[in-house]
Amino acid sequence: MNLYRCRICGESYIGSVCPSDCPFCGAPGKHLVPADNYQPVPLGEISRKSRENLERALDLAVGNATFYRGAAQVADSERGRALFSALSRTETAHAVLFCQILDIPLPEELSAPGECSPSHKENLAEAQKRESRAVQLYTRFIDDASEERVKQLLTALVEIETGHLGLAG
């Protein structure tokens, strides 16, 4: 068995081969390294603009996590439940990451199911909109960021959310 660490979320994974994506935050496999090669990237001081953007990103991740949790409860198939549950877990991991960077506690509402449509089809359409919105927002935040670590994290999140577009469509 081998031990890998994600350079985005810092989580460890034990397996015989490196996974194609981080099983925790969803980052592409290029961000997974053998644990012996893992070097945490210091964040340093966060600019006011980056802090504001990360707070907005946190709100988005929390809203998405709770929406997906609710959508999983009303999904019309096992595949739909699995899809929305997985999306909720990934968005929750993103919210945890933002809270760590911002050095703030997790919002209480993060674990609650959010409002969604009773229609699975409408929830899939809404998921597509949410993933698109995240890609657009995070891309804009990358341009605003002056910190390399913030840029690295947001770039990985754009990759993750772009991959979700195909799942929700």
Side-chain angles (χ1 to χ4, degrees), residues 5-10 30-33 38 149 152-153:
R5 293 231 15 219
C6 178
R7 292 184 298 185
I8 300 307
C9 69
K30 67 184 179 185
H31 297 288
L32 294 162
V33 296
Y38 177 79
R149 177 64 175 157
Q152 178 193 38
L153 295 171

Side-chain angles (χ1 to χ4, degrees), residues 61-71 88 92 109-115:
V62 169
N64 287 349
T66 60
F67 167 78
Y68 292 137
R69 191 169 295 108
S88 179
T92 297
E109 67 270 21
L110 186 59
S111 60
E115 291 186 25

Side-chain angles (χ1 to χ4, degrees), residues 4-24:
Y4 301 93
R5 293 231 15 219
C6 178
R7 292 184 298 185
I8 300 307
C9 69
E11 291 291 340
S12 301
Y13 172 78
I14 298 172
S16 55
V17 296
C18 186
S20 59
D21 296 310
C22 175
F24 304 101

Side-chain angles (χ1 to χ4, degrees), residues 39-146:
Q39 295 286 324
V41 179
L43 180 61
E45 188 71 26
I46 301 174
S47 70
R48 181 187 58 77
K49 184 66 173 174
S50 285
R51 179 166 289 282
E52 289 171 2
N53 287 343
L54 291 170
E55 288 169 353
R56 287 186 60 200
L58 172 61
D59 289 343
L60 180 72
V62 169
N64 287 349
T66 60
F67 167 78
Y68 292 137
R69 191 169 295 108
Q73 293 177 354
V74 300
D76 63 4
S77 67
E78 188 56 39
R79 183 185 190 290
R81 284 186 286 283
L83 170 64
F84 285 127
S85 291
L87 289 170
S88 179
R89 278 192 309 279
T90 300
E91 294 293 343
T92 297
H94 297 172
V96 168
L97 185 58
F98 291 133
C99 287
Q100 289 171 345
I101 293 168
L102 293 166
D103 195 26
I104 60 174
L106 289 173
E108 287 183 30
E109 67 270 21
L110 186 59
S111 60
E115 291 186 25
C116 64
S117 170
S119 163
H120 179 69
K121 187 175 180 178
E122 288 178 14
N123 288 333
L124 285 172
E126 177 63 21
Q128 188 76 11
K129 290 177 190 173
R130 287 171 178 267
E131 298 301 321
S132 256
R133 189 177 316 127
V135 169
Q136 292 169 355
L137 197 64
Y138 296 161
T139 299
R140 201 168 76 235
F141 292 168
I142 291 166
D143 293 338
D144 290 344
S146 57

